[in-house]
């Protein structure tokens, strides 16, 4: 069965960076892409970006361009999202979500990783 | 960017009620729309994709319709486990965007 297991909660100071991992299993890793989505406390969902797991190509939301990096390790079927220059507004739960083939909806989601940015 | 406006943002309903949620796009997105359900403290769950296709394993009381700029999610008979927040998402163009959400609470 498809599973996406994310790394644990993080607490970071403003200005620092955070790296969240998403371990995929139960399907052919490189046949899909992976979305990253975040949700600030009590707020809605915000799409962050996407990585093609076959060739590593990425596309990001303009609001995060330059601060977010997404990479993958095909040998361990793990995707990484790194966010730099953290500010308090980056406090959120971060989700990885598999992009389904066809119209590209997120058909499987990780459990989420809470990142807290606080001095 | 394509904006998605959901209405209502909050609704109170009873078990057994028929519930309809609307999602309007700021420009045409054909049928590139998905609906998700999110329970508190949980990851979203895919309900509908391509505007009207039911995701495998999702109960048939959920249905989606629409194309272009106006879409609806209907729950034909609300069940206790359906009390949650629902989001639409457009998949037509980057950046992908979500609606603001509709919280369905027990009357």
């Amino acid at each position: 069965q498809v599973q996406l297991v994310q790394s644990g909660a993080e607490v970071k100071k403003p200005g620092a960076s955070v790296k969240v991992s998403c371990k995929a299993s139960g399907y052919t890793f490189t046949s899909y892409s992976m979305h990253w989505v975040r949700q600030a406390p009590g707020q809605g969902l915000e799409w962050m970006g996407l990585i093609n797991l076959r060739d590593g190509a990425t596309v990001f939301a303009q609001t995060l361009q330059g601060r977010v990096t997404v990479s993958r390790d095909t040998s361990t079927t793990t995707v990484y999202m790194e966010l730099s220059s953290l500010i308090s507004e980056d406090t959120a739960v971060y989700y990885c979500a598999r992009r389904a083939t066809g119209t590209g909806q997120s058909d499987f989601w990780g459990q989420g990783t809470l990142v807290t940015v606080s001095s | 960017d394509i904006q998605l406006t959901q209405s209502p943002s909050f609704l109170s309903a009873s078990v057994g009620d028929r519930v309809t949620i609307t999602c309007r796009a700021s420009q045409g997105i054909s049928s590139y729309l998905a609906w998700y359900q999110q329970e508190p403290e949980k990851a979203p769950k895919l309900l509908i994709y391509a505007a009207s296709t039911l995701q495998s394993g999702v109960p048939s009381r959920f249905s989606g319709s629409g194309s272009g700029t106006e879409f609806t999610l209907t729950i034909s008979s609300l069940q206790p486990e359906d009390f949650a927040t629902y989001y639409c998402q457009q998949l037509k163009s980057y950046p992908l965007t979500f609606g603001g959400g509709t919280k369905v609470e027990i009357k």
Side-chain angles (χ1 to χ4, degrees):
Chain A
Q1 70 283 19
V2 175
Q3 279 196 305
L4 303 176
V5 179
Q6 298 183 221
S7 50
E10 304 262 13
V11 180
K12 296 291 182 181
K13 293 193 182 306
S17 297
V18 69
K19 194 169 187 176
V20 177
S21 67
C22 171
K23 164 77 174 172
S25 61
Y27 70 98
T28 302
F29 183 70
T30 53
S31 293
Y32 294 81
S33 297
M34 193 77 76
H35 294 288
W36 285 88
V37 174
R38 70 178 180 176
Q39 186 171 37
Q43 302 301 307
L45 302 169
E46 178 188 8
W47 180 82
M48 299 176 66
L50 174 77
I51 181 169
N52 181 316
L53 298 179
R54 186 183 307 278
D55 62 13
T58 55
V59 58
F60 299 116
Q62 192 71 24
T63 53
L64 294 169
Q65 201 85 30
R67 288 207 298 137
V68 64
T69 304
V70 176
S71 58
R72 91 280 192 224
D73 183 336
T74 57
S75 67
T76 61
T77 66
T78 302
V79 184
Y80 300 93
M81 187 283 300
E82 184 168 19
L83 189 61
S84 62
S85 303
L86 291 168
I87 59 177
S88 58
E89 288 79 8
D90 293 320
T91 294
V93 176
Y94 289 77
Y95 294 101
C96 59
R98 192 182 78 164
R99 181 193 186 277
T101 55
T103 51
Q105 64 278 1
S106 297
D107 58 356
F108 289 92
W109 293 67
Q111 83 276 19
T113 297
L114 175 62
V115 174
T116 303
V117 182
S118 174
S119 55
Chain B
D1 298 3
I2 297 174
Q3 311 299 320
L4 295 181
T5 303
Q6 277 185 245
S7 59
S9 54
F10 173 89
L11 74 87
S12 182
S14 301
V15 172
D17 283 354
R18 181 182 181 88
V19 166
T20 298
I21 298 168
T22 297
C23 178
R24 289 189 174 88
S26 59
Q27 61 191 80
I29 58 171
S30 185
S31 295
Y32 288 88
L33 189 98
W35 290 96
Y36 302 89
Q37 176 195 62
Q38 188 179 32
E39 297 176 48
E41 311 303 319
K42 290 193 173 180
K45 172 188 171 185
L46 177 65
L47 299 175
I48 302 278
Y49 63 95
S52 61
T53 303
L54 197 66
Q55 172 69 353
S56 175
V58 173
S60 58
R61 62 181 180 273
F62 291 93
S63 64
S65 65
S67 68
T69 60
E70 188 149 339
F71 303 85
T72 59
L73 172 71
T74 299
I75 309 172
S76 60
S77 177
L78 203 61
Q79 298 302 299
E81 59 268 30
D82 301 337
F83 292 94
T85 301
Y86 294 83
Y87 295 93
C88 56
Q89 182 193 28
Q90 67 81 17
L91 300 144
K92 176 66 173 173
S93 65
Y94 296 118
L96 306 186
T97 46
F98 289 91
T102 297
K103 187 173 185 179
V104 178
E105 290 201 342
I106 301 173
K107 183 182 285 184

